Amino acid sequence: MNKTARMATKTALLAAVTAACMVFPGFAAGGKKITGNSSDSAQNISGDLNIIHYLTETAKLKALDDMVAGFKTEYPNVKVDVESTSMDNYQDVIKLKISTGDAPDIIFGSCKTYSDLITSGNIEDISNQPFVSRIAPGVLSNVQLNGKVYGIPLDEMANVVFYNKDIFARYGLKIPHTYSEFIAVCRKLQQNGVTACAAGYQDNISVGANFYTIFFGAPYLTSENYAAELIGGKSSSGYPALAKSLTQWREIMQYQNTDRKTIDTDRAEQKFANGETGMIIIGTWGLGAIMNYNPKGNFGGFMYPSEEKETDNAIPVATDDTWMLVKNSQNRKAALAFCEYMTRKDVNAKWCATTSQLSAISGVTVDTFPVPMKDIAQIAAQKKAANWLSVGTFSGQYDTTWYRVLQDYAITDSLSVADFCKQLDKEFAAAKK
């Protein structure tokens, strides 16, 4: 990520943290209804709108239900069918639906992660749609491919550590600012019979949440083109930052719950929310579920300190919940109407309030963020940020392989960093054939 993109990201985040303590003003400039065709009214648009996603967090599922309900109230002649599937086989499901003529109209997912769907001509270029102007300029690059816009991001996430303030106070612990300090906190909790960090590696979500938090901060900034280079044939053993992150992750696993290999993200979130662990390494997208499990929880958030010098640390940020319009959709008018609807300020503000996420739409303000989200917003606005999705990431078979090898590493204690690199290189080479 170049300096201009990094500054744009920090500007967007600074605006977000300022907005976090403000009341949403309703329909302000730019928040009025925009449609793809001015002659279309809500009453004239009809059809069966099919949406597919892999969301599992309770807060996000509620936010989606609320958004769909609001859309159906305004567009009574549109029937909305929402299908959920597992993230682990999501790409295969999408490709099968497209190949069999059963493609949905709107697909959940990052444009960079699912770029193969774009390059194969299955996702519509929405660059010229009026509602695209509502996307915050600082994150626009996250939904662009070759200069064209293919997705609508609703919110921004940061990969962080949430902690239980009561547990920290009980044992006289302070927020760590270096990796050594972080491990010292983990060790102190363990010595007092408290599990330091919650994790559940039975789904890709938790695997990504843990490793992405560790790798996509300062280590990533030294290896921004790692994805394209690995796909191009470079060995993963050639990245010291990757090796360092894998080594840290393995050490941290010693301080996570003993059933981490057999439970999923949702159960890990419950463990932390219920006070069974002192911390959880996760994206801000998980905070909504955590607060739902324990609305009165005394939680806070801090940046994962991957480095031994505090000022070298960086917080991983990226757009999160993103939606793409399938090209040649049989219900294109309804799909465009839905895209326009979810980018409205009031609709997006409700989404972000429910999910406890920063908005990716310009001018949206939320006054109901929980304390941990305010902590993270402040950090993201003031500290070094790494927008890891602005450059690129794995897509298609490479993304599937990346997650599978990461999961193998998470659940196989005997798998070394060297073994990880050999396995990843081997499977990436096979994916190229």
Side-chain angles (χ1 to χ4, degrees):
M1 180 173 57
N2 59 38
K3 182 176 180 181
T4 300
R6 193 170 293 133
M7 289 301 297
T9 298
K10 288 184 69 67
T11 299
L13 287 166
L14 182 59
V17 67
T18 302
C21 300
M22 299 173 61
V23 178
F24 174 71
F27 280 105
K32 63 183 181 179
K33 178 179 177 182
I34 301 172
T35 59
N37 186 335
S38 59
S39 64
D40 289 328
S41 69
Q43 296 295 325
N44 291 335
I45 296 178
S46 61
D48 293 330
L49 183 62
N50 298 294
I51 301 172
I52 190 168
H53 68 86
Y54 57 77
L55 296 170
T56 59
E57 300 87 358
T58 52
K60 289 193 176 182
L61 291 172
K62 182 182 186 307
L64 179 58
D65 287 343
D66 290 346
M67 188 163 63
V68 169
F71 176 78
K72 289 168 68 175
T73 297
E74 183 165 328
Y75 293 87
N77 296 324
V78 177
K79 179 183 177 183
V80 182
D81 296 310
V82 180
E83 179 181 352
S84 174
T85 188
S86 168
M87 178 185 177
D88 296 6
N89 65 345
Y90 188 66
Q91 297 192 68
D92 292 336
V93 170
I94 296 297
K95 290 177 180 178
L96 178 61
K97 285 181 172 293
I98 291 175
S99 66
T100 59
D102 186 34
D105 302 297
I106 294 177
I107 293 175
F108 177 84
S110 161
C111 306
K112 301 294 176 68
T113 302
Y114 302 106
S115 61
D116 57 327
L117 295 178
I118 295 172
T119 55
S120 61
N122 290 298
I123 303 298
E124 182 168 333
D125 171 12
I126 57 172
S127 303
N128 296 323
Q129 292 298 329
F131 53 75
V132 169
S133 64
R134 297 172 178 170
I135 299 173
V139 299
L140 193 61
S141 63
N142 291 34
V143 291
Q144 287 178 319
L145 200 66
N146 298 323
K148 298 179 180 179
V149 179
Y150 289 95
I152 299 172
L154 296 186
D155 48 38
E156 297 178 69
M157 65 177 174
N159 284 73
V160 299
V161 183
F162 291 120
Y163 71 105
N164 187 307
K165 291 185 175 181
D166 293 334
I167 292 177
F168 267 49
R170 187 179 308 146
Y171 300 107
L173 299 172
K174 296 181 180 180
I175 292 175
H177 298 290
T178 67
Y179 180 67
S180 293
E181 290 177 359
F182 180 79
I183 291 300
V185 168
C186 292
R187 189 177 299 117
K188 182 70 175 290
L189 288 170
Q190 187 182 70
Q191 290 170 349
N192 284 278
V194 179
T195 300
C197 300
Y201 295 133
Q202 271 301 300
D203 57 28
N204 285 344
I205 295 173
S206 187
V207 171
N210 274 258
F211 184 72
Y212 282 19
T213 304
I214 297 168
F215 176 64
F216 279 138
Y220 165 77
L221 291 177
T222 68
S223 316
E224 291 179 313
N225 295 310
Y226 81 103
E229 290 170 353
L230 289 177
I231 292 173
K234 183 175 179 178
S235 173
S236 54
S237 62
Y239 294 89
L242 178 61
K244 181 178 81 169
S245 297
L246 289 167
T247 300
Q248 289 186 0
W249 189 22
R250 179 67 78 208
E251 184 173 17
I252 292 168
M253 289 177 197
Q254 301 174 33
Y255 301 99
Q256 293 178 328
N257 42 295
T258 56
D259 60 351
R260 65 186 178 277
K261 300 177 185 178
T262 59
I263 65 171
D264 60 11
T265 304
D266 183 64
R267 183 70 186 100
E269 291 167 341
Q270 289 180 45
K271 280 180 174 288
F272 172 70
N274 295 337
E276 297 177 46
T277 72
M279 299 177 285
I280 186 170
I281 300 172
I282 201 167
T284 50
W285 45 261
L287 184 58
I290 290 168
M291 298 307 300
N292 279 343
Y293 286 126
N294 187 359
K296 296 182 179 180
N298 188 17
F299 306 128
F302 62 86
M303 174 169 56
Y304 172 77
S306 62
E307 308 305 303
E308 289 302 340
K309 185 178 179 181
E310 181 181 353
T311 54
D312 288 341
N313 290 314
I315 184 168
V317 296
T319 47
D320 190 10
D321 299 301
T322 301
W323 304 85
M324 298 181 289
L325 175 63
V326 173
K327 193 172 183 178
N328 300 321
S329 163
Q330 298 299 307
N331 300 282
R332 186 172 181 274
K333 286 186 178 181
L336 285 172
F338 189 81
C339 292
E340 184 280 323
Y341 180 81
M342 63 181 168
T343 59
R344 296 182 195 175
K345 286 184 178 181
D346 61 335
V347 175
N348 183 256
K350 184 176 181 181
W351 171 280
C352 292
T354 302
T355 61
S356 296
Q357 290 272 66
L358 299 174
S359 177
I361 302 300
S362 294
V364 171
T365 54
V366 180
D367 67 340
T368 56
F369 281 149
V371 171
M373 189 66 245
K374 292 180 181 179
D375 288 348
I376 299 306
Q378 190 74 36
I379 293 168
Q382 296 179 348
K383 302 294 184 179
K384 187 189 306 180
N387 184 357
W388 56 269
L389 201 55
S390 66
V391 176
T393 187
F394 299 118
S395 179
Q397 184 61 36
Y398 294 102
D399 182 63
T400 302
T401 298
W402 170 248
Y403 268 104
R404 184 172 61 249
V405 179
L406 282 175
Q407 189 171 40
D408 286 348
Y409 186 79
I411 63 177
T412 310
D413 295 337
S414 61
L415 198 67
S416 67
V417 172
D419 293 333
F420 173 92
C421 292
K422 289 178 182 178
Q423 184 175 339
L424 187 68
D425 290 351
K426 180 180 178 181
E427 297 201 27
F428 269 30
K432 291 185 68 173
K433 297 178 179 179

